């Protein structure tokens, strides 16, 4: 059994003015053909799951391309065309291929296509005809569209946020492909989208209310004819017509069952919609609360949710750092501020040098104001590290030229590239142990919980300046459907 695979992932924040070009994909990882398997084999990633499950089932994978970039603004059309060209070429080279297996995100927006994954699936369907199975995994933050559902045989979403199950969902998708090609099952899907945006903090599946619905999905999948069930929280920071959360249910040939179950889930989440409104603290309130909670021992973790580079923010807001310094509170570590200019100055000055600079808020003017600093260069590195925690284990990441600066008794990791701080290795790689600090500030929204929760005495969610803020009414949407909860509250959804 010969199956074409590809991995194409980007979470596009349309409020960002940082274009996601081919160069950005090359930074994060643009891997082609024969290089894919040695790169991802043994990692707990989606591609790692495809590889392992295919071997278990005796499937031959034809690897085409893996293209990923750090979330930011619109993806260049040439990247989309490049990926499609690679898949098309291998389809032509292997006329005996029996299926297409994809790792997609579901919230990618290019300059031309707001429904990029839908367009990609449609292009592939046109190439292979109506009978070849196309199955894809999707991120929990995907925007599902009728086009995506119509052109694929099965769409399978991550069930966890933090996304610690990408490997398992890829294994599941590969298994569905195997049984579909053998003619043992016939996947059909139903999509239901209640008029809701789920704010990012409330998409955390480790607790209620989101966790309740994941439990319901798992129970639903125990029904004999239900193959897969997914909740897609959507991505609030995309001003597009198909924004919003959704449920997708995949059954073995029973479309009516899929529709009934998807509608039942959608109705229940609508009835509980007010439970999905987060409570967040501004930087000054958050730092004050952190000081009150600190007792020694394990650190207080402050999540800078509004400046999460994992959702397209710049990772260069210094609002929380400024509060610590102005409050005279020390023994804090921050990961990370993206400021290539200051990182370069530190490298030129050398370890032990005292430098004066203007730090942060330089990339787009949307993440607050800069901070004048004078600090000592504590350490320097090339910024490379390998993930060892519970998410994407084994994947190699790169902060670029990086420095640790000591500022008023606090240590700040200053990097040249944006990376979300969800794995302690981002700190260990710079010689910092989060357990050594009273306070740890992380540029992350939810992913940090998969590795930092056990290290933390308490966690404080902070909403400061940035384009990943959960104050959704602060954003100027022009293309989204209305009414839409929680932007609009005084309306009735009949289903």
């Amino acid at each position: 059994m010969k199956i074409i695979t590809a991995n194409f992932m980007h979470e596009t924040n349309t409020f960002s003015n940082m274009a996601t070009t081919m160069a950005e994909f090359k930074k994060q990882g643009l891997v082609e053909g024969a290089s894919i398997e040695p790169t991802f084999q043994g990692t707990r990633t989606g591609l790692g799951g495809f590889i392992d499950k295919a071997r278990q089932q005796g499937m031959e994978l034809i690897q085409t391309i893996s293209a990923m970039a750090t979330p930011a603004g619109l993806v260049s059309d040439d990247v989309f065309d490049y990926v499609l060209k690679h898949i098309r070429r291998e389809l032509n080279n292997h006329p005996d291929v029996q299926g297409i297996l994809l790792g997609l995100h579901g919230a990618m927006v290019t300059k031309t296509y707001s429904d990029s994954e839908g367009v990609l699936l449609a292009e592939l369907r046109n190439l292979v005809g109506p009978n070849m199975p196309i199955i894809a995994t999707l991120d929990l933050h995907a925007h599902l569209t009728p086009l995506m559902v119509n052109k694929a045989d099965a769409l399978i979403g991550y069930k966890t946020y933090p996304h610690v199950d990408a490997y398992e969902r890829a294994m599941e998708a590969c298994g569905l492909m195997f049984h579909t090609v053998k003619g043992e099952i016939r996947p059909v899907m139903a999509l239901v989208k209640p008029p809701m945006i789920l704010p990012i903090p409330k998409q955390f599946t480790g607790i209620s209310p989101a966790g309740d619905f994941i439990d319901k999905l798992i129970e639903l999948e125990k029904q004999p004819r239900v193959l897969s069930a997914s909740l897609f929280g959507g991505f609030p920071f995309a001003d597009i017509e198909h924004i919003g959360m959704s449920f997708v249910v995949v059954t073995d040939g029973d479309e009516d069952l899929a529709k009934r179950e998807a509608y039942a889930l959608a109705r229940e989440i609508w009835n509980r919609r007010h439970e999905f409104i987060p409570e967040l603290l501004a930087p000054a309130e958050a730092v004050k609360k952190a000081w009150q909670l600190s007792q020694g021992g394990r650190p207080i973790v402050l999540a800078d949710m509004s400046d999460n580079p994992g959702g397209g923010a710049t990772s260069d807001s210094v609002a929380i750092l400024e509060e610590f310094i102005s409050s005279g509170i020390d023994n804090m570590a921050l990961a990370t501020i993206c400021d290539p200019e200051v990182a370069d100055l530190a490298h030129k000055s050398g370890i032990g040098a005292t430098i004066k600079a203007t730090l942060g808020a330089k990339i787009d003017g949307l993440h607050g104001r800069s901070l004048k600093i004078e600090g000592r260069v504590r350490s320097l590195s090339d910024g490379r590290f390998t993930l060892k925690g519970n998410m994407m284990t084994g994947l190699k990441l790169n902060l670029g030229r990086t420095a640790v600066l000591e500022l008023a008794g606090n240590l700040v990791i200053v990097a040249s590239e944006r990376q979300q701080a969800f794995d302690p290795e981002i700190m260990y790689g710079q010689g910092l142990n989060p357990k050594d600090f009273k306070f740890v500030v992380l540029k992350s929204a939810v992913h940090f919980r998969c590795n930092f929760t056990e290290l933390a005495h308490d966690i404080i969610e902070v909403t400061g300046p940035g384009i990943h803020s959960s104050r959704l009414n602060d954003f100027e949407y022009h293309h989204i459907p209305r009414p839409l909860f929680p932007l609009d509250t005084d309306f009735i959804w009949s289903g």
Side-chain angles (χ1 to χ4, degrees):
M1 185 183 298
K2 186 179 288 187
I3 305 296
I4 288 277
T5 67
N7 192 53
F8 189 20
M9 304 189 75
H10 189 261
E11 188 173 71
T12 306
N13 189 318
T14 65
F15 297 100
S16 169
N17 58 19
M18 297 181 291
T20 308
T21 62
M22 184 70 77
E24 295 303 311
F25 278 87
K26 289 180 178 178
K27 285 180 185 178
Q28 178 74 9
L30 190 64
V31 189
E32 302 176 17
S35 298
I36 292 175
E37 190 157 320
T39 300
F40 290 95
Q41 182 178 338
T43 64
R44 288 191 55 80
T45 60
L47 278 174
F50 286 162
I51 293 166
D52 287 352
K53 188 65 173 182
R55 285 184 174 175
Q56 291 176 13
Q57 298 181 313
M59 302 164 68
E60 180 184 355
L61 297 185
I62 307 300
Q63 304 281 6
T64 60
I65 190 168
S66 176
M68 298 181 289
T70 299
L74 297 178
V75 175
S76 300
D77 287 338
D78 63 323
V79 178
F80 182 92
D81 295 339
Y82 189 80
V83 170
L84 181 59
K85 180 186 74 175
H86 274 68
I87 303 172
R88 182 187 291 117
R89 183 183 66 197
E90 293 307 315
L91 283 169
N92 291 332
N93 291 340
H94 299 275
D96 56 341
V97 72
Q98 294 173 278
I100 301 176
L101 192 59
L102 303 171
L104 303 177
H105 189 284
M108 179 170 60
V109 182
T110 70
K111 292 187 71 174
T112 300
Y113 307 124
S114 63
D115 181 12
S116 300
E117 285 86 356
V119 173
L120 177 66
L121 290 166
E123 291 283 350
L124 295 178
R125 180 58 71 199
N126 290 338
L127 288 171
V128 302
N131 298 321
M132 182 180 292
I134 301 176
I135 296 176
T137 59
L138 296 170
D139 192 283
L140 186 142
H141 306 305
H143 308 289
L144 270 290
T145 68
L147 181 62
M148 294 167 67
V149 171
N150 289 337
K151 299 303 179 181
D153 291 85
L155 299 171
I156 298 170
Y158 302 162
K159 283 187 170 62
T160 60
Y161 183 34
H163 305 324
V164 296
D165 68 332
Y167 177 88
E168 285 78 10
R169 299 290 75 76
M171 297 269 283
E172 178 185 343
C174 198
L176 280 182
M177 177 63 76
F178 179 79
H179 294 295
T180 302
V181 172
K182 289 178 69 68
E184 297 170 351
I185 58 173
R186 184 174 66 87
V188 295
M189 286 188 288
L191 164 68
V192 179
K193 292 175 70 80
M196 297 172 59
I197 305 175
L198 295 189
I200 289 294
K202 287 297 187 175
Q203 293 191 34
F204 173 40
T205 58
I207 59 174
S208 182
D212 299 342
F213 287 89
I214 300 303
D215 292 341
K216 292 177 184 295
L217 298 177
I218 293 170
E219 284 300 310
L220 178 58
E221 289 176 339
K222 294 178 182 178
Q223 292 191 26
R225 302 200 69 179
V226 177
L227 301 175
S228 177
S230 302
L231 179 159
F232 296 98
F235 187 59
F237 313 110
D239 186 13
I240 53 177
E241 64 275 14
H242 47 270
I243 193 175
M245 68 148 304
S246 55
F247 287 100
V248 170
V249 177
V250 185
T251 62
D252 184 7
D254 192 338
E255 189 171 354
D256 289 339
L257 173 62
K259 288 179 180 178
R260 285 197 306 271
E261 296 296 348
Y263 268 110
L265 289 163
R267 171 54 57 189
E268 182 170 355
I269 206 166
W270 172 257
N271 290 339
R272 296 179 62 180
R273 62 193 180 278
H274 293 284
E275 297 178 39
F276 288 87
I277 304 299
E279 294 181 9
L280 304 175
L281 297 179
E285 299 170 298
V287 172
K288 181 179 179 180
K289 182 177 180 179
W291 175 253
Q292 293 169 344
L293 291 173
S294 63
Q295 299 175 347
R298 292 183 297 167
I300 307 297
V301 170
L302 296 90
D304 192 352
M305 308 184 87
S306 299
D307 192 29
N308 170 29
T314 56
S315 193
D316 77 336
S317 168
V318 291
I320 298 177
L321 172 62
E322 185 174 12
E323 286 295 335
F324 269 96
I325 293 175
S326 64
S327 300
I329 302 174
D330 60 7
N331 202 14
M332 180 271 287
L334 189 159
T336 63
I337 300 292
C338 180
D339 192 325
E341 179 183 282
V342 174
D344 284 346
L345 175 61
H347 274 260
K348 291 175 182 177
S349 302
I351 294 174
T354 297
I355 63 172
K356 294 181 179 181
T358 300
L359 179 67
K362 298 173 182 175
I363 295 177
D364 64 4
L366 301 174
H367 291 75
R369 62 188 183 190
S370 300
L371 179 65
K372 292 188 180 299
I373 62 165
E374 179 175 349
R376 185 175 70 89
V377 179
R378 170 78 171 263
S379 66
L380 302 169
S381 80
D382 63 4
R384 299 181 185 276
F385 64 102
T386 301
L387 299 176
K388 297 180 181 178
N390 297 323
M391 182 175 158
M392 297 190 288
T393 314
L395 196 65
K396 298 181 184 301
L397 295 180
N398 185 7
L399 293 168
R401 280 158 62 94
T402 301
V404 176
L405 302 183
E406 184 174 344
L407 304 175
N410 300 297
L411 297 183
V412 180
I413 300 174
V414 181
S416 298
E417 301 291 344
R418 297 178 303 124
Q419 291 287 356
Q420 185 175 179
F422 62 84
D423 190 309
E425 287 300 318
I426 201 170
M427 299 181 68
Y428 292 143
Q430 307 306 315
L432 304 183
N433 186 334
K435 296 178 183 179
D436 293 339
F437 299 89
K438 280 188 178 181
F439 312 97
V440 174
V441 177
L442 301 173
K443 299 289 184 173
S444 180
V446 174
H447 282 327
F448 74 94
R449 290 180 179 271
C450 67
N451 294 308
F452 282 91
T453 296
E454 292 185 358
L455 300 176
H457 171 68
D458 212 329
I459 291 170
I460 300 174
E461 297 175 333
V462 190
T463 179
I467 57 173
H468 201 265
S469 169
S470 288
R471 297 188 304 260
L472 300 183
N473 284 298
D474 290 351
F475 293 90
E476 292 187 14
Y477 294 99
H478 300 285
H479 304 291
I480 66 174
R482 304 297 286 263
L484 193 65
F485 183 86
L487 296 173
D488 308 298
T489 57
D490 188 20
F491 73 103
I492 297 172
W493 179 58
S494 63

